[in-house]
Structure formats: C-alpha cells, structure tokens
Amino acid sequence: MTKTLGISFSAILLIVACGLLSLTNKSFPPIQKNGPVQNVSGLKVSIERGKKVYAEQCLSCHQVDALGVSGMTPPLVKTKWVLGDKTTLVQIVLKGLTGEIEIDGDTFHNVMAPHSELTDQQIADVLTYVRNSFGNKARAISAAEVKVIRAKTK
Ligand code: HEC
C-alpha cells in the first residue's frame, strides 16, 4: 500500500515537474487556442456536461440507453431528428413535440413538453452529447447556434 502510494506520489511529482518545465521551455510549440486539438477537448467537455443535462432532463422518458419505450417514447438512436437538421432538433427541445411520428415501423403519438427554460449552453451540450452517444455520430451544436435558432423560434 505504502509502496503504491509512494509510486503514485513520484508520478504526480514527475507530472508537475514536466508541467513546470513546459511552461519555462521556450522551444515548446505555442499552444494554438483555436487549433484542432482545442476543438477536440471542447467537444469532450461539451459531451461531459451534456451527459448530466441528459440525466436530469431527458433520461426519465428516453431512457438510459436512449432506446425509449415502445409505443410511448421514441428512441434517440439514429433517428432523422437526432442526426438531421440542427434547427429542427433544437426546436424540438425548445418547443417540445406532439402529433404522430414513426420510427422504424414503431408509431408514437404522445407529447413531449417544451424545455425552453434550459440555457443555450445546456441545449447545445445535451444535443451534442446525444448526437455523439448511443451509436450516433453527428456534428456538435454550439450555444451560439442555439441562440440564433431560439431568436427565430416563435
Ligand atoms: C416527458 C417525457 C420526455 C422528456 C422529459 C423528453 N422527451 Fe423527447 N420526446 C418525448 C416524446 C413522447 C416524444 C415523441 C412526441 C410525439 O409523439 O410526437 C419525444 C420526441 C423527441 C425527439 C424527436 C423524435 C426522436 O426520437 O428523434 C427528440 C430528438 C427528443 N424527443 C429529444 C429530447 C431531449 C434531448 C430531451 C431532453 C432535453 C427530451 N427529449 C426530453 C418525451 C420526452
């Protein structure tokens, strides 16, 4: 136990020392604020935050695996809304959804309440999370995009 602690403590010391070194060492390439590396970590952070929003705002209906409940709540896996047009998707969160929809032969005729009380950032994060989880792969949505869509949504 003490030995493992000793090792991890030295590891931390080493990491801290490297960090300090990289701060002083001028030969390190400058960190590009808007470079691809930053964008990847920005995506990760958004997905992390979105996961929490999903757990609080969407999970109770759409379920932990996003597969929904047959005939009750539609899945959020590879549907045309989840992977499709950002405006329509953001508007579903802002305004909710009613009326009959069909996904892979399963029909839903239910009501999703509006979630317009969520901030632009929360909506961007939760949709970025959904679009990059559960087997989905689609571009991230930013808070700025949600802001524009909210402004033109009645
Ligand atoms: C009270 C339950 C409930 C909650 C909470 C809820 N939804 Fe829904 N959602 C539904 C229902 C029901 C529908 C289908 C409505 C219909 O039949 O027209 C739906 C439809 C959708 C659709 C379009 C259909 C599809 O499956 O692609 C999306 C996208 C969606 N919801 C995303 C979300 C997101 C994101 C959240 C969290 C911010 C959320 N929903 C919260 C019940 C809910």
Side-chain angles (χ1 to χ4, degrees), residues 57-78:
Q57 305 288 337
C58 323
L59 185 148
S60 60
C61 294
H62 289 283
Q63 305 297 303
V64 70
D65 50 11
L67 288 175
V69 180
S70 182
M72 286 267 294
T73 316
L76 299 178
V77 180
K78 297 179 183 165

Side-chain angles (χ1 to χ4, degrees), residues 108-122:
F108 302 88
H109 196 156
N110 208 341
V111 179
M112 172 172 154
H115 287 72
S116 55
E117 75 285 357
L118 297 179
T119 65
D120 295 343
Q121 190 68 61
Q122 284 176 313

Side-chain angles (χ1 to χ4, degrees), residues 53-54 56-62 66 72-83 88-89 92-93 96-101 103 107-113 115 118 122-123 126-127 130:
V53 181
Y54 183 85
E56 285 162 16
Q57 305 288 337
C58 323
L59 185 148
S60 60
C61 294
H62 289 283
M72 286 267 294
T73 316
L76 299 178
V77 180
K78 297 179 183 165
T79 72
K80 64 175 180 185
W81 295 277
V82 168
L83 298 181
T88 311
L89 182 58
I92 288 176
V93 176
L97 194 68
T98 53
E100 195 172 290
I101 61 167
I103 297 172
T107 307
F108 302 88
H109 196 156
N110 208 341
V111 179
M112 172 172 154
H115 287 72
L118 297 179
Q122 284 176 313
I123 293 175
V126 76
L127 292 179
V130 169

